[in-house]
Structure formats: C-alpha cells, structure tokens
Amino acid sequence: MTPPNKRVEKGMRLFNCTNQEYINRMQELSEVAHIGFHGHFWHDPEKFENNDYCIRKDNDKYNYDVLYKQFTDQINWFKENNVSHNNTYSGGWWFINKDIIELLLANNIMYDYTISKSPNLWNPFTIEMTKKNGIKYGESFYTSLNDKKLLHIQNLHCGLDTPFPYDATRFMNTLLDKDYPCITGVLNSHDYCLDYEYTLNWMRYLKQLPQVEFFNHEQLISHQLENAKTIFV
C-alpha cells in the first residue's frame, strides 16, 4: 500500500513518517523480501475508516472513475519515487474483476496473487471464471486481455489465527481435487489482525512434510510459466 492511499496517509501523519522515510523502509524491505503493490479501494476514499465504504470481494456496483483514480494514484507512486513493485499485485479484500485485470495489464503488472478457490477468499467473479474454465484449487493460470497476459498464482489460505497448524492443514486437504493433487500457491498472512507467529508455526510444520516445498517468487514464477493455461476475459 502506498502513501496516496488515505489509510496509509493517515498512519504516516500520525507517526510523523515522511514520504522519504517510507521510501527508505521500502528499500530496506526489498533487500529481504519481494515487494509488490497491494491495492485497497473505497467507494469514497475520504471515508476509509467506515467499513461500509470498502470495495470488497463481493462488490459489483462502484463508480469506475473513483476506483480508477485511486488505482492510478497509488500505482504511479512507485514510478514517481523510483520504487519497484516488481510487476506484482495482490488485491485487498480479495477484490478483483475484469476492470482490475485491465488496469493491471495497462500498467504492465505481470503477476497476481489475489485469486483463490478457498471459500473465505473467493468472490463472484473468480467463482464464475474458475468454474467456467475448469481451474482447479492450487492451479496457476493466465488471464489475457488486449494481447497482454497476467499470471495468477492462487492464494491457498487466509492467514492462520490458531496455534494448531493441523487445523489449517486439514482445511486445505478438504479443498484438494483428487485429479489435481500437486498444488501451487501462496499462504497468506496479515499484519494487524492475525498472529504472524501462528502463520510461521504452520509454515515450519509444513516444511517438515516430505510432499511440501517452498519457493521464492522467482522460482515460483519460472516453475509456472510454461504449464499455465490461458483464459480470455
């Protein structure tokens, strides 16, 4: 999330964080992590503290011009401040549809981590698209529009909020398709509403399993590029 986002802007103001300090922190993070653009949008960005104004995964009625301005203001910040988003995106509140895909491709975003078939993360657009095109749980795929392609790596699970990693693993096992058992995707966590130690404990547990392997972004992308099917939207 970038400083033009009203929620970020307020946080920076409260903690006396300048734009340059924000840039410095982004650069420090980029030394140990893969940085991407995380988009959060509101029906009225000035009312970001009112949850009724959040554009969430199930929203299909919104003012496109209001959405467009928020998107472009936020993503342009990267270019204007010489900070890389590595052509990578993840949508806030699991909001993605054809409008967002078109905006991502128009801004040369190549990789998306928003789409999920997990029941607590999907939205009407992704339900219809994945069902119509036979996309399995944990299957990577491209969407194509105007001769450009966007690679979607599925988000397998929302952040873990339990000290018992077996619970999350059992839940994921219920989503597996017996005809598509070799899944690839992201394990999602969050900064302020979930306990990251629980997520780390889960990852440590999974890492011990012989059938599980972890990749960084570059390894993950190179592994998916050739095999992913293409969907036209």
Side-chain angles (χ1 to χ4, degrees):
M1 297 169 67
T2 58
N5 182 300
K6 295 298 182 180
R7 174 169 286 170
V8 176
E9 180 185 70
K10 178 182 178 181
M12 292 173 65
R13 186 171 63 254
L14 289 174
F15 292 95
N16 298 315
C17 177
T18 65
N19 188 67
Q20 186 57 54
E21 174 63 19
Y22 198 90
I23 293 170
N24 294 344
R25 294 188 182 196
M26 292 278 281
Q27 291 173 339
E28 290 176 8
L29 280 173
S30 68
E31 295 177 4
V32 296
H34 180 87
I35 301 295
F37 171 38
H38 184 49
H40 272 277
F41 313 107
W42 288 265
H43 296 288
D44 181 347
E46 298 296 335
K47 298 179 180 178
F48 66 90
E49 293 179 298
N50 186 331
N51 288 335
D52 291 338
Y53 285 85
C54 303
I55 301 181
R56 297 180 181 271
K57 61 182 181 179
D58 54 350
N59 289 136
D60 57 3
K61 294 181 176 62
Y62 52 86
N63 185 309
Y64 179 81
D65 292 337
V66 174
L67 171 70
Y68 176 84
K69 185 176 189 322
Q70 291 175 79
F71 183 98
T72 53
D73 285 350
Q74 292 178 44
I75 200 169
N76 285 343
W77 179 90
F78 288 96
K79 183 177 180 179
E80 293 164 358
N81 291 279
N82 196 30
V83 177
S84 178
H85 52 53
N86 297 295
N87 304 315
T88 304
Y89 180 78
S90 176
W93 298 307
W94 314 106
F95 173 66
I96 191 168
N97 58 17
K98 186 175 180 179
D99 286 342
I100 292 293
I101 290 174
E102 187 172 23
L103 288 170
L104 293 173
L105 290 172
N107 286 274
N108 299 314
I109 297 291
M110 300 170 62
Y111 315 112
D112 169 67
Y113 288 96
T114 307
I115 290 177
S116 179
K117 286 178 68 69
S118 180
N120 50 345
L121 304 181
W122 61 20
N123 66 39
F125 173 78
T126 58
I127 293 172
E128 180 180 357
M129 180 175 64
T130 55
K131 182 177 181 180
K132 178 181 177 181
N133 293 279
I135 299 297
K136 307 295 186 182
Y137 176 72
E139 179 182 6
S140 302
F141 63 97
Y142 289 99
T143 51
S144 179
L145 184 66
N146 300 327
D147 298 323
K148 290 186 176 183
K149 291 181 18 175
L150 177 65
L151 179 64
H152 301 274
I153 306 293
Q154 288 192 40
N155 206 304
L156 301 178
H157 197 289
C158 70
L160 191 63
D161 201 18
T162 170
F164 306 107
Y166 316 103
D167 293 344
T169 305
R170 280 196 295 267
F171 173 74
M172 283 182 60
N173 286 340
T174 67
L175 302 174
L176 290 175
D177 188 311
K178 63 182 177 63
D179 297 324
Y180 196 83
C182 188
I183 66 173
T184 303
V186 178
L187 304 179
N188 178 55
S189 187
H190 213 282
D191 54 351
Y192 64 87
C193 61
L194 298 170
D195 192 320
Y196 70 88
E197 275 297 330
Y198 293 164
T199 302
L200 291 175
N201 287 339
W202 185 33
M203 290 182 177
R204 294 185 188 106
Y205 163 74
L206 291 174
K207 197 173 185 340
Q208 298 174 21
L209 301 180
Q211 69 269 37
V212 175
E213 186 174 0
F214 280 86
F215 302 94
N216 62 28
H217 173 81
E218 287 72 23
Q219 293 169 326
L220 185 61
I221 294 306
S222 64
H223 190 66
Q224 301 299 309
L225 289 177
E226 294 183 2
N227 299 323
K229 67 174 66 172
T230 298
I231 294 172
F232 294 91
V233 296

